[in-house]
Amino acid sequence: MHYIKKIYVLLLTGSIVSITGCSAIQYGTEDLPKPTYQKSTEDTAKDIVKSKAEEEHQEFELSDEFVSKYLDMDSFEELKKRTQEGIAATSNEAGMTKQEILLWRDLIKKKLAMQYTTDNYDQKKKELEDSLDQMAEEHQMNRKDFYEKYYDMTEEDTEAFVKKQAEKLTEFSDDVSEQAQGSEKQ
């Protein structure tokens, strides 16, 4: 008798679903978690300087001289400007697949220094590739297996993703597309 009630409920539910025309749930980028906290540009720029000081085994110094010497920029104000541009570029997820968005967000969480723009496409591309290598190593995997397991992306997908992100983080000029095309030919 108990089984008859279950069958009846299932049949009734199926009838309701077919009558109302419910369709399968479609997942898209709107299903991704939204970033909840964004540091100010100045705080992010300070963190970049702190990170660079640690990397270079130098004492933290928030000065134009330090920024000029270790970050190849003229001043802390320029770093803040480029950081603002970088934050805008890293926040722009338009045209990205769900897998690319997830990978991009993980990269941003791990690598604060990627949040500023540069005028050197090849340098930014290498920085992104090195960051991806480091993420794969943290999982004790090679890049190819890491991409497939955690992001369901092929190596070719990821190479295209890195090129696209490097272009976004390279200061916009006529040279950028020429640099990108030149490095692809090599």
Side-chain angles (χ1 to χ4, degrees):
M1 189 72 165
H2 183 62
Y3 293 109
I4 294 174
K5 284 183 180 179
K6 286 184 179 180
I7 292 172
Y8 179 72
V9 170
L10 288 173
L11 288 173
L12 183 60
T13 304
S15 298
I16 292 170
V17 169
S18 64
I19 291 170
T20 60
C22 292
S23 61
I25 297 172
Q26 298 294 315
Y27 294 99
T29 56
E30 65 276 356
D31 302 316
L32 294 171
K34 304 290 182 237
T36 57
Y37 173 72
Q38 182 73 37
K39 285 185 175 185
S40 72
T41 301
E42 186 158 343
D43 288 343
T44 303
K46 285 179 185 176
D47 288 346
I48 291 169
V49 174
K50 284 179 188 174
S51 177
K52 193 62 170 179
E54 288 174 12
E55 182 183 314
E56 297 291 334
H57 306 291
Q58 298 294 318
E59 191 170 318
F60 171 70
E61 178 183 338
L62 193 57
S63 68
D64 292 342
E65 294 80 25
F66 184 91
V67 171
S68 178
K69 182 175 181 179
Y70 293 104
L71 292 170
D72 197 28
M73 295 180 213
D74 293 334
S75 65
F76 184 68
E77 286 302 313
E78 181 181 354
L79 174 60
K80 286 193 322 189
K81 177 184 172 283
R82 287 189 182 186
T83 300
Q84 183 66 39
E85 293 168 354
I87 289 171
T90 59
S91 298
N92 181 1
E93 296 173 347
M96 294 171 71
T97 66
K98 185 175 182 175
Q99 293 84 358
E100 289 175 333
I101 291 170
L102 293 172
L103 177 57
W104 187 234
R105 288 183 182 177
D106 287 347
L107 270 168
I108 292 168
K109 284 181 207 170
K110 296 244 181 229
K111 300 294 169 193
L112 182 64
M114 286 191 306
Q115 291 188 330
Y116 62 87
T117 60
T118 181
D119 58 356
N120 186 329
Y121 169 83
D122 292 326
Q123 173 190 352
K124 192 53 74 173
K125 185 173 179 254
K126 179 165 178 14
E127 184 179 335
L128 289 165
E129 289 170 341
D130 291 346
S131 297
L132 288 169
D133 283 339
Q134 186 176 359
M135 287 173 65
E137 287 173 19
E138 287 172 3
H139 288 84
Q140 299 168 345
M141 302 175 85
N142 65 42
R143 249 201 233 181
K144 179 183 178 290
D145 294 339
F146 175 70
Y147 300 149
E148 288 175 4
K149 180 176 181 176
Y150 290 100
Y151 302 100
D152 195 28
M153 294 172 69
T154 65
E155 227 171 337
E156 292 79 22
D157 294 337
T158 311
E159 286 174 16
F161 165 78
V162 167
K163 288 176 186 176
K164 185 171 33 174
Q165 297 312 104
E167 287 173 1
K168 280 176 36 176
L169 289 166
T170 304
E171 288 184 9
F172 298 106
S173 70
D174 295 334
D175 303 353
V176 174
S177 58
E178 292 173 17
Q179 282 181 334
Q181 292 172 356
S183 64
E184 290 175 15
K185 292 177 184 175
Q186 293 177 0

